[in-house]
Amino acid sequence: MNTFSRRRLRNAFITWAMLATVFLVVTLLAEFVLDRGQSRMATEFMILASLVVAIQSYVGNSGLLSFGHVAFFAVGAYIAGLAAMSPEKKEQFLPNLPDWVISLEASLPLAILIAVIGVAIFAAFTGVPISRMHQSVIPMATLALLVMTHTVVNLWDDVTRGTRGLVSVPDLVTTWTVFATAVAITGAALLYAASPAGLRLQVVREDPIAAAALGIRVAATRFTGWMVSAVLMAIGSAVWALNSLAFGPEQFFFAQTFSLLAMLIIGGTGSVTGAIAGTAIVSVINESLRGLERGFAIGPIQVPELPGLIQLVVALALLLLLIWRPAGLFGNRELSIPRRRR
């Protein structure tokens, strides 16, 4: 291993340790300081941060915007939810499932493993053609993937219960489980970006033609990044499902796609640290405006309900940031220890 590679890996480990410390502080606050509602918010923040980092591992290294990662989110959540549900609940709500699926009642690790395998197969099937496309059409192809997945989830009553969604999903997740998931996904994303495979994808991002001339297989390199990101998304989505307890297809479409991508773009697509910071910023906006969205009073004036206020404010913040700082708050920079200048 040359000096350049060792330095990249060392910096990745330093950033990982610092971000893990941030997650540890959030976890300790959720466990011992915050009330139940605030603890729930802290847990959801770490789960969302895991999902945004999973998207960043592809978007940031490839330079290709993906609208299709919420499709992996949906597939992983439904697989984990179905795997963990009790046989009695499956017979009650989904009697047409195969007998071997009904009889399965997976633990948390097994449910995550099954979700990873299912999403990996789905990602491999879709990633081969998408990775071979011209980079200008890949975002639209991922959008088509999102629409097709949502349509299947919305209409496949025997497996997903259609618009009624899954209910009675067991609560197998603790705050420490979410902490471990966030740390693992963050570390995997940082180490992938610092690895030779991640570096090749970054070369392809800068100039695909020059990368091909250097002997880098462009399609295979993009496919590897696609698969890594999908696996990380599967882990995050499985933990999300087993923490949400009930969900439906409306949670895996345009609104969720916009929310996750807004978090990523605000923080900076080229930075894992930025992805986490963007998640924190949008989460604070959501919680701050949730009460105002239900209506409020200014003296004698009663302001009615304002549905969509949160999305409007997030969109406005995103628009202003793209004008002021197109690369996001962190750009390509990661959290690190400042070096003393000689």
Side-chain angles (χ1 to χ4, degrees):
M1 184 181 294
N2 57 37
T3 303
F4 175 70
S5 298
R6 286 197 300 269
R7 185 166 61 248
R8 286 173 61 87
L9 289 174
R10 184 181 66 248
N11 292 338
F13 274 110
I14 291 172
T15 302
W16 186 12
M18 297 178 74
L19 293 176
T21 303
V22 173
F23 287 131
L24 179 60
V25 171
V26 173
T27 302
L28 293 175
L29 289 173
E31 283 287 288
F32 303 111
V33 178
L34 304 177
D35 59 34
R36 185 174 181 180
Q38 294 170 332
S39 177
R40 181 81 178 178
M41 290 165 45
T43 301
E44 290 175 352
F45 156 70
M46 289 192 288
I47 295 175
L48 287 175
S50 302
L51 296 172
V52 176
V53 168
I55 298 174
Q56 190 278 335
S57 65
Y58 177 76
V59 174
N61 291 302
S62 70
L64 301 169
L65 191 61
S66 172
F67 300 100
H69 274 63
V70 172
F72 301 145
F73 184 14
V75 173
Y78 273 98
I79 290 177
L82 288 172
M85 283 177 65
S86 66
E88 295 77 19
K89 294 298 182 181
K90 292 176 191 175
E91 288 179 353
Q92 178 182 355
F93 296 113
L94 296 162
N96 296 324
L97 286 173
D99 292 338
W100 66 271
V101 177
I102 292 178
S103 61
L104 176 65
E105 187 174 3
S107 61
L108 176 64
L110 182 57
I112 293 175
L113 177 61
I114 295 172
V116 167
I117 293 172
V119 171
I121 294 172
F122 178 57
F125 179 75
T126 57
V128 170
I130 288 178
S131 299
R132 294 177 178 274
M133 295 178 182
H134 190 273
Q135 61 185 18
S136 62
V137 301
I138 287 179
M140 291 305 298
T142 61
L143 179 61
L145 175 63
L146 172 65
V147 173
M148 289 187 293
T149 303
H150 179 265
T151 301
V152 172
V153 169
N154 205 36
L155 299 178
W156 201 359
D157 287 342
D158 290 344
V159 176
T160 66
R161 296 187 77 232
T163 56
R164 295 170 294 174
L166 283 189
V167 295
S168 299
V169 178
D171 185 2
L172 304 179
V173 173
T174 66
T175 307
W176 290 105
T177 304
V178 174
F179 164 73
T181 302
V183 171
I185 290 177
T186 300
L190 287 167
L191 293 178
Y192 172 68
S195 69
L199 184 58
R200 285 194 295 270
L201 185 56
Q202 294 159 31
V203 173
V204 171
R205 175 191 66 194
E206 299 302 325
D207 194 330
I209 298 176
L214 291 172
I216 297 175
R217 299 168 60 191
V218 174
T221 301
R222 285 176 176 164
F223 178 76
T224 301
W226 179 265
M227 292 298 298
V228 169
S229 183
V231 168
L232 298 182
M233 200 75 183
I235 297 172
S237 63
V239 173
W240 178 91
L242 301 177
N243 182 70
S244 297
L245 311 183
F247 48 87
E250 70 280 356
Q251 291 170 279
F252 308 103
F253 206 31
F254 289 130
Q256 189 66 273
T257 301
F258 169 75
S259 179
L260 294 177
L261 288 178
M263 294 173 182
L264 176 59
I265 294 171
I266 287 174
T269 59
S271 167
V272 173
T273 304
I276 296 171
T279 304
I281 291 170
V282 175
S283 297
V284 169
I285 292 174
N286 288 344
E287 295 304 323
S288 301
L289 299 180
R290 200 176 301 279
L292 297 179
E293 199 173 41
R294 294 192 289 265
F296 56 94
I298 304 177
I301 302 174
Q302 182 65 38
V303 179
E305 291 186 5
L306 300 170
L309 176 65
I310 294 175
Q311 289 81 1
L312 179 62
V313 172
V314 172
L316 181 60
L318 181 61
L319 181 62
L320 293 176
L321 184 71
L322 289 174
I323 295 173
W324 170 61
R325 196 177 180 87
L329 293 176
F330 276 79
N332 294 324
R333 299 189 305 275
E334 298 287 1
L335 196 62
S336 61
I337 299 174
R339 293 184 178 182
R340 291 187 302 171
R341 292 183 179 180
R342 293 184 179 179

